[in-house]
């Protein structure tokens, strides 16, 4: 069985080295496993919750798409798309919103943190909080449930959201599934082995600490950032302590065990920090230089990126469109074509979509036609004085049993209790007429549910 892996990347920033080692690289490695069916997407609807700067949103979508592709994501193997290109996702979000408990969402960490901050500042608890922020977990549940993901690789801060997706999905299954499980229950996947890179100052590398090393911007910028890595003040020739050096931790995240061993030995033997930084730069440049070139090639051809993402959206929608159709059906958003029949003849419906259409003549009398599913007129009724009688006749015909059909030349008539109630059209010959009799019988045959 294949495992469906899905994760989203919120498009508000430019990926840095920490994102690469912590999320992008492991995701690409996982996508190459033979039993993996991976879905990676740009969570640009989520980005709108955090950011109201259109240029930044647009720039970030472009940069993140180019980063993943440049880093080696194979779009033939995986499904790579933008959330906002899948209209089924906001639609599913609404269906889920209607079953998600408000109390559940009140407990979401991100929302609670904003409320706490407001309360602390003596403000209204909901000051500045949008419905987007409040409903963030429902949109994320739709992302995950839309594709029935088994595993959702995320950071620890997102575990609660995956649990909420389970909760909401289960509720929907229970309410509308009638024993069928529409949604698979997703699991958060926390990769313990994945590197959390330290930033320039030794704290976790993060944009909010302003301590990042850029990933693909340029060799010079990467070099400049590396030169700002904080080290201790030991001079060249003095032994360094690799285990207490985040420069060494960064090196290890990209080196082979042999390279790491050699670097460690050299540090212990007094390698100067300046030289150590040069070595780190060389390692990163050799690991990432080619991908950086790919990145710049992609960024310069946004129309090609657009094509790739459109193809990804098409691939995703081949799953999302029919699945959402089933879900709409389940909640009662159904085509009237099927519902009319159930309403008109709840027990015995006219077979294969045949239907009675009533109308009023100019003289005020009532008549009806029986039309086959393809629109062919099977019968035209005689005139009835009132609608009630016409309705009673259609109901009797729908009982379908023991039809009294009498042929007359190349046409036929239908009789009820000794009175002729309807006529067929005239056919080309007797064979055509008999075939039409069969179609009529089929159309009026009682149906088993
Ligand atoms: N909320 C996630 C984050 O900030 C991004 C995201 C959106 C996501 N939809 C998702 C992650 C679905 C996993 C699955 O990191």
């Amino acid at each position: 069985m294949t495992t469906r892996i899905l994760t989203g990347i919120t498009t508000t920033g430019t990926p840095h080295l920490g994102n690469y080692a912590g999320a992008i690289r492991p995701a690409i490695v996982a996508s190459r496993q033979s039993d993996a069916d991976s879905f990676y997407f740009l969570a640009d609807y989520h980005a709108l919750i955090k950011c109201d700067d259109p240029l930044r949103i647009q720039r970030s979508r472009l940069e993140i798409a180019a980063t993943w592709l440049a880093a080696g994501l194979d779009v033939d193997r995986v499904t790579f798309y933008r959330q906002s290109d899948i209209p089924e996702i906001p639609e599913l979000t609404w269906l889920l919103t209607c079953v998600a408990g408000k109390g559940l969402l009140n407990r979401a960490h991100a929302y609670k943190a904003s409320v706490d901050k407001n309360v602390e500042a003596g403000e209204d608890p909901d000051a500045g909080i949008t419905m987007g922020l409040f409903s963030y977990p429902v949109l994320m549940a739709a992302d995950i449930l839309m594709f029935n993901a088994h595993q959702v690789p995320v950071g620890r801060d997102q575990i609660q959201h995956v649990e909420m997706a389970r909760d909401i999905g289960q509720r929907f299954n229970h309410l509308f599934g009638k024993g069928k499980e529409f949604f698979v229950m997703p699991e958060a996947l926390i990769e313990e082995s994945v590197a959390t890179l330290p930033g320039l100052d030794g704290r976790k590398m993060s944009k909010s600490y302003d301590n990042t090393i850029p990933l693909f911007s340029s060799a010079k910028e990467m070099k400049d950032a590396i030169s700002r890595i904080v080290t201790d003040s030991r001079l060249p020739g003095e032994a360094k302590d690799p285990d207490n050096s985040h420069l060494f931790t960064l090196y290890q995240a990209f080196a082979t065990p042999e390279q790491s061993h050699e670097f460690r030995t050299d540090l212990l033997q007094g390698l100067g920090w300046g030289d150590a930084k040069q070595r780190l730069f060389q390692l990163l440049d050799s690991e990432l230089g080619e991908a950086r070139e790919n990145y710049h090639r992609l960024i310069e051809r946004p129309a090609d990126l657009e094509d790739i993402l459109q193809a990804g959206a098409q691939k995703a929608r081949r799953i999302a469109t029919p699945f959402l159709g089933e879900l709409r059906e389940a909640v009662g958003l159904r085509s009237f074509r099927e519902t009319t029949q159930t309403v008109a003849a709840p027990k015995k419906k006219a077979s294969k979509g045949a239907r009675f259409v009533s109308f009023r003549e100019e003289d005020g009398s009532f008549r009806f036609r029986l039309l086959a599913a393809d629109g062919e007129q099977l019968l035209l009724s005689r005139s009835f004085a009132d609608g009630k009688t016409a309705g009673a006749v259609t109901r009797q015909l729908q009982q379908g049993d023991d039809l009294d059909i009498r042929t007359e030349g190349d046409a036929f008539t239908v009789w009820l209790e000794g009175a002729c109630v309807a006529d067929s059209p005239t056919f080309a010959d007797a064979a055509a007429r008999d075939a039409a009799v069969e179609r009529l019988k089929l159309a009026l045959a009682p149906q088993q549910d």
Side-chain angles (χ1 to χ4, degrees):
M1 204 189 93
T2 59
T3 303
R4 203 170 264 183
I5 304 174
L6 174 145
T7 198
I9 311 101
T10 308
T11 54
T12 43
T14 304
H16 54 67
L17 200 66
N19 302 135
Y20 176 77
I24 303 170
R25 188 172 60 176
I28 292 174
V29 170
S31 76
R32 292 185 179 137
Q33 278 163 18
S34 61
D35 64 344
D37 180 17
S38 306
F39 287 67
Y40 298 129
F41 67 95
L42 308 184
D44 47 2
Y45 280 141
H46 278 103
L48 298 182
I49 296 169
K50 300 183 185 166
C51 172
D52 59 9
D53 175 354
L55 290 179
R56 183 153 150 229
I57 296 275
Q58 177 65 340
R59 182 80 204 153
S60 173
R61 292 157 96 226
L62 189 69
E63 287 175 348
I64 293 177
T67 299
W68 281 70
L69 295 172
L73 187 72
D74 176 356
V75 292
D76 292 328
R77 270 197 78 93
V78 308
T79 309
F80 186 56
Y81 55 97
R82 282 180 299 218
Q83 184 186 33
S84 65
D85 286 333
I86 316 293
E88 288 80 4
I89 289 181
E91 202 173 339
L92 177 57
T93 301
W94 184 251
L95 301 191
L96 298 178
T97 299
C98 295
V99 303
K102 177 168 180 288
L104 178 77
L105 296 176
N106 283 341
R107 291 193 287 277
H109 300 321
Y111 169 68
K112 276 202 335 203
S114 302
V115 170
D116 291 349
K117 221 160 120 191
N118 280 333
V119 171
E120 223 164 279
E123 304 251 14
D124 181 274
D126 281 326
I129 298 178
T130 63
M131 283 307 295
L133 177 67
F134 186 69
S135 308
Y136 185 108
V138 190
L139 177 57
M140 185 158 156
D143 291 331
I144 297 170
L145 299 174
M146 182 90 261
F147 298 103
N148 272 330
H150 300 104
Q151 293 184 348
V152 183
V154 282
R156 292 198 176 281
D157 61 323
Q158 299 292 318
I159 297 178
Q160 189 196 28
H161 293 150
V162 180
E163 280 165 2
M164 288 184 167
R166 295 170 65 89
D167 204 302
I168 297 168
Q170 208 157 29
R171 183 101 182 250
F172 189 97
N173 280 345
H174 177 71
L175 282 170
F176 301 110
K178 294 195 184 135
K180 178 176 167 165
E181 305 279 298
F182 281 116
F183 299 125
V184 161
M185 291 299 110
E187 307 264 359
L189 187 71
I190 310 291
E191 279 282 11
E192 303 294 350
S193 64
V194 153
T196 305
L197 291 193
L200 302 179
D201 55 2
R203 289 186 292 173
K204 176 184 181 225
M205 191 182 292
S206 161
K207 200 176 56 178
S208 36
Y209 294 147
D210 194 20
N211 66 355
T212 62
I213 296 176
L215 180 58
F216 290 147
S217 56
S218 71
K220 178 168 185 318
E221 280 183 46
M222 182 179 266
K223 201 170 200 160
D224 288 349
I226 289 172
S227 74
R228 294 198 307 275
I229 293 177
V230 178
T231 60
D232 63 28
S233 52
R234 284 177 220 189
L235 299 170
E238 282 184 70
K240 312 291 185 299
D241 178 3
D243 296 318
N244 280 310
S245 156
H246 51 275
L247 190 152
F248 183 66
T249 311
L250 284 165
Y251 189 91
Q252 264 185 317
F254 292 89
T256 62
E258 295 75 40
Q259 286 172 314
S260 293
H261 179 76
E262 200 187 319
F263 196 46
R264 167 187 286 279
T265 312
D266 291 347
L267 285 168
L268 288 169
Q269 287 176 356
L271 182 73
W273 286 126
D275 290 339
K277 287 178 176 177
Q278 179 59 24
R279 291 262 286 267
L280 174 61
F281 171 72
Q282 273 163 0
L283 175 73
L284 291 179
D285 197 52
S286 70
E287 285 292 307
L288 299 168
E290 197 184 319
R292 185 196 297 128
E293 277 174 35
N294 291 339
Y295 175 84
H296 288 286
R297 252 199 306 278
L298 286 161
I299 283 280
E300 278 153 25
R301 308 180 64 150
D304 291 355
L305 279 171
E306 183 68 31
D307 289 344
I308 293 171
L309 289 165
Q310 289 298 341
Q314 259 185 30
K315 201 162 149 187
R317 293 190 72 196
R318 280 202 285 276
I319 296 169
T321 310
F323 188 35
L324 187 74
E326 267 184 69
L327 300 173
R328 288 177 56 104
E329 177 82 25
V331 299
L333 303 177
R334 299 173 187 162
S335 157
F336 282 162
R337 251 178 256 294
E338 287 117 60
T339 356
T340 334
Q341 282 172 28
T342 358
V343 169
K347 290 190 214 91
K348 294 172 181 176
K349 7 177 195 175
S351 133
K352 307 213 173 11
R355 60 193 193 278
F356 289 96
V357 180
S358 309
F359 62 97
R360 212 163 170 188
E361 290 285 19
E362 271 172 33
D363 66 2
S365 67
F366 291 81
R367 301 179 77 172
F368 61 81
R369 298 177 207 280
L370 175 61
L371 303 177
D374 62 0
E376 181 201 11
Q377 181 172 315
L378 299 170
L379 291 176
L380 171 64
S381 78
R382 296 283 164 101
S383 294
F384 303 96
D386 51 58
K388 222 170 140 184
T389 318
V393 170
T394 60
R395 274 193 296 283
Q396 259 181 294
L397 288 176
Q398 280 177 83
Q399 300 299 313
D401 21 50
D402 299 330
L403 280 177
D404 183 357
I405 297 172
R406 306 180 189 179
T407 54
E408 284 167 28
D410 288 333
F412 60 85
T413 48
V414 179
W415 295 65
L416 276 179
E417 290 150 14
C420 176
V421 294
D423 302 86
S424 78
T426 304
F427 297 96
D429 51 36
R433 178 202 64 203
D434 292 345
V437 169
E438 288 314 307
R439 287 200 295 281
L440 174 71
K441 284 186 179 161
L442 196 67
L444 294 175
Q447 287 255 302
Q448 246 73 72
D449 273 331

